[in-house]
Amino acid sequence: MQQERCSSSDRPLDPGGLLSCDAERSAARLGCAAVDFPVAVVLPAGGSGERMGLPTPKQFCTILNRPLISYTIQAFERLSWIVTVVVVVATENHDLMLNIARKYNHTKVKVVHGGTTRHRSIFNGLQAFSNTTDSLTPKPKVVIIHDAVRPFVEEDLLLKITLAAKEQGASGAIRPLVSTVIATTSEGYLDHSLERAKYRASEMPQGFLYDIIFQAYQQCSEFDFEFGTECLHLALQYCGTNAKLIEGPPTLWKVTYKRDLAAAEAIIKETLSMSACIIAGAGAEAVELAKMLQKNLNMMETDVISCAKESNTEYLSKTQNFIHISMSGSNFSGVPEMVKRFEDIGHTRLYPLVVVWVQLNMTKQSVDSQKTDELTAFMGLASEVIQGNVLLYGIEINHSKVIFLMSYHYIC
Ligand SMILES: Nc1ccn([C@@H]2O[C@H](COP(=O)(O)OP(=O)(O)OP(=O)(O)O)[C@@H](O)[C@H]2O)c(=O)n1
Ligand SMILES: O=P(O)(O)OC[C@@H](O)[C@@H](O)[C@@H](O)CO
């Protein structure tokens, strides 16, 4: 069956590589072709998140039951041209980070211990690559440094930052200033204000030839380590390397305050709800309903695929929402098979999956007792799959009415 999908140009951000859309696919193709040298990542995650004001350091605060840092790691791990992700955490969070890496299958992650400041943590991360015989942390040509609390980073920007770092020695993402920057007197009065148009906010990701940034950190002063906040400055100050600046999207911001966590959750939820995969079972009516549904779900990016196993697997990792349309008489046996395929690709570890099972009943109404048996079986199935983070809903459409089969978690 011809795959049909809506335009993905107006798609919201794609945190952690949730969905692969056309733009992401072209970047992926470009990435694999353009990045023919080893690239690694250092994620400083050793802070305590004081400004967040929560007992848990913000990088470990959860969004949809998943730690914020896991979204950031996923945004890098999903890229085939990134070899290693070194996560720098406080010593007391070492085991927590290892557990997160295991639970969410972050296989490229290596955990090292941070320092008392961000620069010290970053330097510790960089040292994980120097003179190592460890196959997981081979020395990279380019290293990307990215705050672990910036979960929204897209492949095309990472590609630009990486290629610019390879060519120029250093590169960094920037954003226009929202507020004007002013200098104050020691008495707390205005000294002068900066011409906002001439300045930009320095964000992340930043990219460096590994040797350049490593040498810069080796020459750092204690003042730099204690009070510095800008890696690009170190490359310029100590290696004379002037970073190429690349403007990034508005979603590059760093999660710092509670409001940022709420905003991050809203973006992730929006992304999760913006796509669906409609699986049409056998039968002309099922295909017809699938196509009609796709036309009416116009705010989402939808794919209509046939029930053939090979095509489902290809699409299963693309989205979180599935609408399965089957003809009357076919019981729910397809649900466990579908959930098994989710598990096989490690899909349900990351986000709740929604499966709407639509049963087209073109035959006469089945007898009540049969209906009750079907409903009981469905509820049993729903209570089973919810253990694997799959939310199962059932809808039966027969020639006279639509029946919504309650789902397990509706009842609980
Ligand atoms: N000693 C430190 C301090 C910060 N970071 C990391 O650097 C990134 C950006 O720093 P920031 O937003 O300041 O994080 P915190 O220092 O945790 O926040 P706060 O200043 O509010 O305590 C974060 O991922 C943070 O975990 C780090 O690796 N080591
Ligand atoms: O200063 P903080 O530790 O809050 O955050 C670090 C940021 O300053 C840093 O990520 C960017 O400015 C880019 O260097």
Side-chain angles (χ1 to χ4, degrees):
M1 171 179 299
Q2 178 61 34
Q3 315 301 353
E4 296 174 71
R5 56 178 59 88
C6 310
S7 135
S8 56
S9 55
D10 54 351
R11 299 273 319 296
L13 182 90
D14 191 1
L18 275 177
L19 310 169
S20 55
C21 62
D22 295 343
E24 289 286 299
R25 273 207 198 92
S26 56
R29 273 194 295 275
L30 187 61
C32 298
V35 182
D36 54 1
F37 47 88
V39 178
V41 181
V42 170
L43 297 181
S48 57
E50 279 169 32
R51 287 170 286 182
M52 182 62 73
L54 295 173
T56 304
K58 59 189 177 182
Q59 58 273 34
F60 300 115
C61 287
T62 58
I63 294 178
L64 297 185
N65 296 328
R66 184 179 165 199
L68 173 62
I69 193 167
S70 179
Y71 291 96
T72 309
I73 294 169
Q74 177 80 9
F76 290 93
E77 273 210 328
R78 67 191 170 116
L79 308 180
S80 58
W81 49 273
I82 285 184
V83 178
T84 307
V85 179
V86 168
V87 183
V88 190
V89 299
T91 312
E92 63 268 24
N93 294 321
H94 184 98
D95 291 344
L96 170 60
M97 189 58 238
L98 287 180
N99 292 336
I100 292 170
R102 254 192 302 276
K103 178 175 180 183
Y104 294 97
N105 206 23
H106 294 318
T107 52
K108 295 183 182 177
V109 160
K110 177 174 173 75
V111 182
V112 301
H113 292 169
T116 55
T117 64
R118 180 169 163 271
H119 272 329
R120 289 198 172 97
S121 293
I122 291 172
F123 189 28
N124 287 3
L126 292 171
Q127 291 178 87
F129 298 103
S130 60
N131 315 321
T132 173
T133 52
D134 175 354
S135 61
L136 182 64
T137 43
K139 183 177 150 189
K141 179 74 179 168
V142 167
V143 62
I144 297 171
I145 299 175
H146 186 80
D147 294 329
V149 291
R150 295 173 187 261
F152 306 117
V153 58
E154 297 173 352
E155 177 166 21
D156 55 354
L157 176 64
L158 286 170
L159 211 45
K160 288 175 190 165
I161 289 286
T162 301
L163 295 176
K166 171 84 166 26
E167 295 310 312
Q168 314 285 335
S171 62
I174 55 172
R175 285 287 305 157
L177 286 176
V178 173
S179 304
T180 300
V181 178
I182 58 174
T184 62
T185 65
S186 51
E187 295 78 35
Y189 289 92
L190 173 65
D191 182 89
H192 65 277
S193 74
L194 296 182
E195 192 183 332
R196 192 170 70 182
K198 285 186 180 174
Y199 294 85
R200 293 290 181 275
S202 173
E203 304 293 352
M204 290 282 188
Q206 295 178 344
F208 303 87
L209 284 175
Y210 176 79
D211 292 338
I212 284 184
I213 192 64
F214 190 63
Q215 282 165 32
Y217 271 103
Q218 285 177 313
Q219 299 169 54
C220 254
S221 66
E222 272 313 299
F223 183 87
D224 287 316
F225 274 123
E226 199 55 33
F227 302 105
T229 62
E230 185 47 80
C231 306
L232 302 180
H233 163 75
L234 303 182
L236 181 59
Q237 171 95 5
Y238 296 106
C239 299
T241 300
N242 213 337
K244 174 73 180 152
L245 303 176
I246 298 168
E247 185 158 330
T251 44
L252 277 188
W253 43 271
K254 179 165 65 73
V255 172
T256 303
Y257 301 100
K258 275 202 189 87
R259 67 169 187 264
D260 298 322
L261 214 48
E265 176 155 350
I267 287 182
I268 289 169
K269 280 183 174 171
E270 184 193 6
T271 304
L272 287 174
S273 64
M274 290 305 284
S275 76
C277 179
I278 304 171
I279 301 171
E285 297 89 347
V287 172
E288 213 38 56
L289 178 59
K291 291 191 160 216
M292 190 174 69
L293 207 48
Q294 182 178 36
K295 284 194 177 59
N296 288 287
L297 288 176
N298 49 23
M299 77 289 178
M300 296 175 92
E301 175 180 331
T302 50
D303 289 303
V304 175
I305 60 172
S306 73
C307 235
K309 279 205 176 102
E310 50 283 347
S311 59
N312 289 7
T313 308
E314 181 205 334
Y315 282 88
L316 289 188
S317 56
K318 226 172 87 35
T319 179
Q320 309 297 121
N321 309 306
F322 299 87
I323 301 168
H324 187 293
I325 300 171
S326 56
M327 295 306 292
S328 59
S330 64
N331 55 32
F332 308 113
S333 66
V335 176
E337 279 173 40
M338 196 172 177
V339 174
K340 174 82 178 57
R341 279 208 293 283
F342 289 152
E343 283 155 10
D344 291 349
I345 60 174
H347 198 330
T348 50
R349 251 192 288 272
L350 299 182
Y351 311 94
L353 295 180
V354 174
V355 175
V356 178
W357 199 267
V358 180
Q359 188 120 321
L360 276 179
N361 232 341
M362 310 316 280
T363 55
K364 66 178 178 30
Q365 182 65 19
S366 48
V367 294
D368 282 350
S369 60
Q370 185 187 354
K371 187 57 61 198
T372 310
D373 292 349
E374 262 183 30
L375 186 54
T376 309
F378 186 83
M379 295 296 290
L381 201 47
S383 64
E384 199 181 301
V385 296
I386 202 168
Q387 311 310 322
N389 215 9
V390 176
L391 308 181
L392 178 62
Y393 299 83
I395 298 176
E396 182 179 31
I397 303 174
N398 64 29
H399 48 74
S400 61
K401 57 180 178 288
V402 177
I403 305 162
F404 179 70
L405 305 176
M406 294 301 280
S407 186
Y408 177 73
H409 51 285
Y410 253 85
I411 301 289
C412 293

